[in-house]
Amino acid sequence: MTDLEDGHGDSTGQPDDSAPRCLVTGATGYIGGRLVPALLDAGYRVRALARTPQKLRDYPWADRVEVVRGDVTDPDSLAEAMRGVDVAYYLVHALGTGSTFEETDRRAARTFGEQARAAGVRRIVYLGGLTPAGVPEKDLSPHLRSRAEVGHILLSSKVPTAVLRAAIVIGSGSASFEMLRYLTERLPLMVTPSWVRTRIQPVAVRDVVRYLVGCAALPAGVNRAFDIGGPDVMTYRDMMQRYAAVAGLRPRVILPVPVLTPTLSSRWVGLVTPVPSSIARPLTESLRHEVVCREHDIKGYVPDPPDGTIGFDRALRLALKRIQEARVDTRWSNAAVPGAPSDPLPTDPDWAGGSLYRDEREMAVPVGPEALWRVIEGIGGENGWYSFPLAWAVRGWLDRLVGGVGLRRGRRDAQHLRVGDSLDFWRVEEIVQGELLRLRAEMRVPGLAWLELSVRRDGRGRTVYGQRALFHPRGLFGHAYWWSVWPFHSVVFGGMARNIAKAAATEEKRREPVPGSGREPVTDSGTDN
């Protein structure tokens, strides 16, 4: 987002001490992770709030921001985070079912508004959902209703607030884009819910971020909601057909039927796409009603670019280009999955104790540590897990069937990982370049599970591959689960160790120059984040 102007930085692009300070909540999320560098490029100082600051450690902009630990439901941590802040961005939402998430959203918004007012914050900026015209809020889906309520709470906080209301956000890595992409690519013939006929006004993620940055400079008297959308209004069916055209696919045969409920729709989306049903449900529920902008007043404060806002086809091309170039900065899966474990690693000093099952393997590998590490860091996604692919695929499908994330989330980047990245049904909990990769399980299991892959040199100078699976069972079912899968460990985990060693040898050979051929060794070109 380097086309943002009117900043406050010096010639090096670093904000000066007089620049306004912005607090960004949800900095580990899809929008927040893109907003932070855009604010920095516009010359603002940025403070990022995260429940687990370590997750921001490997972001390319991490050394340019102030990272603080906190939670939007905790008044004390918010009070500290908002000290000296001029503009506070609220980019968090609870996910789940029942009334619990709505109460969490309500409490968090009230706490945020109260602490912003107490700290003298001059503006709040909130990104919510576009609500349909003429539909009472009580008739909206629970998630859309909750987003609308959050907007009302912040607008009444007595801190000038800008509420941006968007329908579907289109950009590489967004949940809406991934849902559209996989439905269209995988189903040339599909029986679809009736909501494919609903009119929608999608907006490109670049425009969303541009509006968010622009709202930092709104006049003090502005306290209102703005509808934001792109120039195109279409049905979801139109969106799938236009995606097919942009992606070079044949036109899709789409047969809408009225019998698919939101629950069935979300299950269907969860089985076909990488987006789990827990995320798909609020997306599909929001499509029951027409979501089209009723005004474009934001243009009077944040002017459109000379060539206008980004159209749907161009947004698709930009997203696909970034995917092809492996330059997806953030993904919908950046945010933790609802209900995912956050307990300390069982070997940490503050672990509470209890049963802990281990599967530990180690073997010397006749390659350099660099080649072995490249294989380890490239694991998952298209490269797979180096053992018994059918077993991994079945485990992923079973997880999908019970509402889990499954194995299809893939990777954000084909070669490199950073703390907080989702990796199929794991999440990167720790990475020490060249030495250690620790993954925490986010599949549905009756307990907590980790997988560690490591590289070291032994006393004889050999490269040693280490592999450790840890499982902390929950209740009797957890113990039964471990012993039921134990017979497969020698096949799955044993095969993984052997095949990773073979892949490392192939990797090292591939990168060696051929004597007399003049061929240079293969090197990584890296990615532009």
Side-chain angles (χ1 to χ4, degrees):
M1 307 302 296
T2 55
D3 55 342
L4 297 165
E5 300 177 352
D6 196 22
H8 306 269
D10 57 27
S11 58
T12 66
Q14 292 291 335
D16 59 46
D17 292 339
S18 65
R21 176 181 281 115
C22 298
L23 173 70
V24 177
T25 63
T28 59
Y30 177 70
I31 295 293
R34 298 189 181 211
L35 174 61
V36 169
L39 287 169
L40 291 169
D41 289 345
Y44 292 99
R45 293 178 292 168
V46 176
R47 178 180 293 161
L49 178 76
R51 284 180 294 182
T52 308
Q54 184 188 23
K55 289 184 179 180
L56 293 173
R57 184 192 69 192
D58 298 330
Y59 279 66
W61 40 258
D63 60 348
R64 300 171 60 197
V65 305
E66 178 188 0
V67 179
V68 296
R69 184 187 303 275
D71 190 298
V72 291
T73 61
D74 177 18
D76 293 336
S77 66
L78 270 183
E80 182 63 27
M82 287 188 177
R83 184 170 297 152
V85 165
D86 299 285
V87 181
Y89 285 90
Y90 192 84
L91 303 175
V92 295
H93 285 297
L95 286 173
T97 58
S99 59
T100 304
F101 83 90
E102 291 185 81
E103 176 54 36
T104 300
D105 268 348
R106 189 178 300 121
R107 185 174 74 255
R110 286 173 180 163
T111 303
F112 194 84
E114 290 166 359
Q115 295 305 318
R117 182 185 178 194
V121 173
R122 65 172 178 80
R123 172 155 303 281
I124 293 172
V125 182
Y126 165 60
L127 179 62
L130 185 60
T131 55
V135 178
E137 288 188 2
K138 64 181 179 63
D139 294 334
L140 297 176
S141 70
H143 290 86
L144 197 55
R145 183 173 63 238
S146 182
R147 272 106 180 108
E149 184 183 14
V150 167
H152 297 325
I153 291 171
L154 295 176
L155 285 168
S156 62
S157 66
K158 298 186 179 180
V159 176
T161 297
V163 174
L164 300 183
R165 302 187 299 196
I168 288 180
V169 176
I170 300 297
S172 59
S174 78
S176 297
F177 174 77
E178 294 283 278
M179 192 171 94
L180 172 69
R181 173 190 173 198
Y182 282 92
L183 285 176
T184 308
E185 290 183 353
R186 291 179 172 172
L187 299 175
L189 168 64
M190 61 186 100
V191 176
T192 61
S194 57
W195 48 251
V196 296
R197 296 170 174 160
T198 304
R199 292 204 317 154
I200 311 161
Q201 190 166 355
V203 58
V205 67
R206 293 193 184 194
D207 280 329
V208 173
V209 173
R210 181 175 59 83
Y211 287 133
L212 287 168
V213 173
C215 282
L218 287 177
V222 176
N223 185 64
R224 57 162 293 183
F226 296 94
D227 292 351
I228 59 172
D232 299 300
V233 176
M234 64 196 77
T235 66
Y236 204 90
R237 181 175 184 165
D238 295 335
M239 291 170 61
M240 287 190 284
Q241 296 293 20
R242 287 172 70 167
Y243 179 92
V246 170
L249 305 172
R250 292 181 179 178
R252 279 16 205 166
V253 178
I254 302 170
L255 305 174
V257 296
V259 296
L260 290 178
T261 66
T263 299
L264 289 175
S265 294
S266 61
R267 293 286 185 185
W268 171 64
V269 170
L271 288 173
V272 175
T273 80
V275 181
S277 56
S278 59
I279 305 294
R281 175 149 190 168
L283 293 177
T284 57
E285 284 181 335
S286 67
L287 297 173
R288 288 187 301 165
H289 303 290
E290 182 177 281
V291 276
V292 176
C293 295
R294 298 183 290 276
E295 43 83 11
H296 188 46
D297 296 348
I298 189 68
K299 181 179 179 180
Y301 300 96
V302 185
D304 290 343
D307 55 349
T309 55
I310 296 173
F312 181 72
D313 288 3
R314 183 184 169 207
L316 291 180
R317 286 193 292 270
L318 288 169
L320 289 171
K321 185 172 186 288
R322 293 187 76 86
I323 290 170
Q324 291 163 1
E325 296 175 350
R327 292 194 300 126
V328 179
D329 299 323
T330 60
R331 297 183 72 214
W332 60 269
S333 54
N334 283 37
V337 171
S342 58
D343 302 51
L345 185 72
T347 52
D348 290 345
D350 58 349
W351 187 57
S355 300
L356 182 66
Y357 293 112
R358 295 178 174 86
D359 183 292
E360 298 181 275
R361 300 169 191 271
E362 194 171 85
M363 63 186 301
V365 183
V367 299
E370 296 82 7
L372 178 58
W373 177 252
R374 282 193 293 270
V375 173
I376 289 174
E377 193 175 8
I379 200 167
E382 295 297 323
N383 292 326
W385 292 88
Y386 294 96
S387 70
F388 205 172
L390 179 60
W392 287 92
V394 169
R395 184 63 183 88
W397 276 105
L398 290 174
D399 195 52
R400 282 280 182 175
L401 289 174
V402 296
V405 296
L407 197 65
R408 294 201 305 269
R409 289 191 300 183
R411 301 169 52 103
R412 177 191 57 84
D413 184 287
Q415 294 178 317
H416 306 289
L417 294 172
R418 63 191 184 200
V419 169
D421 272 1
S422 62
L423 178 58
D424 292 330
F425 48 41
W426 306 91
R427 187 168 298 276
V428 179
E429 185 173 79
E430 180 59 277
I431 183 166
V432 179
Q433 282 296 323
E435 298 180 15
L436 172 71
L437 173 63
R438 180 190 302 146
L439 306 174
R440 181 190 291 272
E442 288 190 339
M443 77 282 276
R444 298 290 181 91
V445 290
L448 305 173
W450 291 262
L451 178 63
E452 284 187 345
L453 311 177
S454 63
V455 181
R456 68 176 180 86
R457 292 273 198 183
D458 66 8
R460 297 163 57 184
R462 298 180 302 175
T463 299
V464 176
Y465 169 71
Q467 181 179 293
R468 184 170 70 146
L470 301 172
F471 183 68
H472 174 41
R474 184 181 298 115
L476 182 61
F477 185 52
H479 291 275
Y481 172 82
W482 173 264
W483 289 113
S484 69
V485 299
W486 175 257
F488 300 100
H489 282 193
S490 61
V491 177
V492 175
F493 290 132
M496 177 185 287
R498 292 189 297 272
N499 291 331
I500 284 178
K502 291 178 183 177
T506 301
E507 169 71 8
E508 185 164 75
K509 185 175 181 180
R510 181 177 72 88
R511 290 171 176 264
E512 290 178 352
V514 177
S517 69
R519 193 184 80 186
E520 294 295 325
V522 178
T523 58
D524 286 331
S525 61
T527 57
D528 179 10
N529 288 317

